[in-house]
Amino acid sequence: MKAETADLLFEVVGRLEKSIAAHDCPAIVAIEGERKLVLSDYDYLHDSATAAAFEERGAGKAREIGATRWVLAVPQVWIFRPPSTIALRAVSNHPLQEGEQEAITWMSFDREDGVDYGRVAYTRRPDGEPVFEEPEIFEVGIRPRETMPGFLLLQRCLGDE
């Protein structure tokens, strides 16, 4: 990952970590091109239509400013199912079940460097305060499904190539 994209990743993750600590769970996308834009959506996790509308809006802004890179980050619950399946669900106030972990799911795109995926896992102290790990970049071949945060945004940006 290029240094510029990593800087943008840390900025977006930092913003989202502050929101999560304040009990908010927006999706955040930062887009760099002729200028930098940061968009957020508190309803992103409500349903797939709302998520798609946010990503379409982000793609429109990316075209407007001639985006060279972007990072999208979304708080989710990761559900680990043996032997090697991972499912995702929206965060909620319900306690985590066995095999579940809260994490920030992220996707980055750089026109020169390509696409990276990852997560920032976090746990909560007994008082509910989140404790965040460092961003993890997936080093194994991951094929995102259409429901992965950023998938539609990526398809729209690649369609502009």
Side-chain angles (χ1 to χ4, degrees), residues 76-89 99-101 103 105 119 136 138 140 142-143 145 147-148:
Q76 294 185 303
V77 174
W78 286 51
I79 306 162
F80 298 92
R81 297 185 178 135
S84 61
T85 301
I86 299 171
L88 303 172
R89 71 169 173 83
E100 293 185 337
Q101 180 179 31
T105 305
R119 71 183 193 135
E136 173 185 0
F138 299 138
V140 296
I142 302 246
R143 297 211 35 111
R145 299 179 71 172
T147 56
M148 167 116 180

Side-chain angles (χ1 to χ4, degrees), residues 129-144:
E129 178 188 356
V131 178
F132 298 95
E133 295 180 11
E134 289 296 313
E136 173 185 0
I137 298 175
F138 299 138
E139 300 293 334
V140 296
I142 302 246
R143 297 211 35 111

Side-chain angles (χ1 to χ4, degrees), residues 53-112:
F54 178 67
E55 291 189 31
E56 289 282 2
R57 191 166 72 246
K61 294 296 183 182
R63 281 188 295 279
E64 268 181 41
I65 66 167
T68 55
R69 72 186 53 82
W70 52 260
V71 173
L72 173 75
V74 180
Q76 294 185 303
V77 174
W78 286 51
I79 306 162
F80 298 92
R81 297 185 178 135
S84 61
T85 301
I86 299 171
L88 303 172
R89 71 169 173 83
V91 293
S92 69
N93 291 327
H94 301 293
L96 296 175
Q97 302 297 313
E98 186 176 334
E100 293 185 337
Q101 180 179 31
E102 290 180 292
I104 296 170
T105 305
W106 61 266
M107 178 187 289
S108 69
F109 170 74
D110 184 290
R111 289 214 182 270
E112 295 175 5

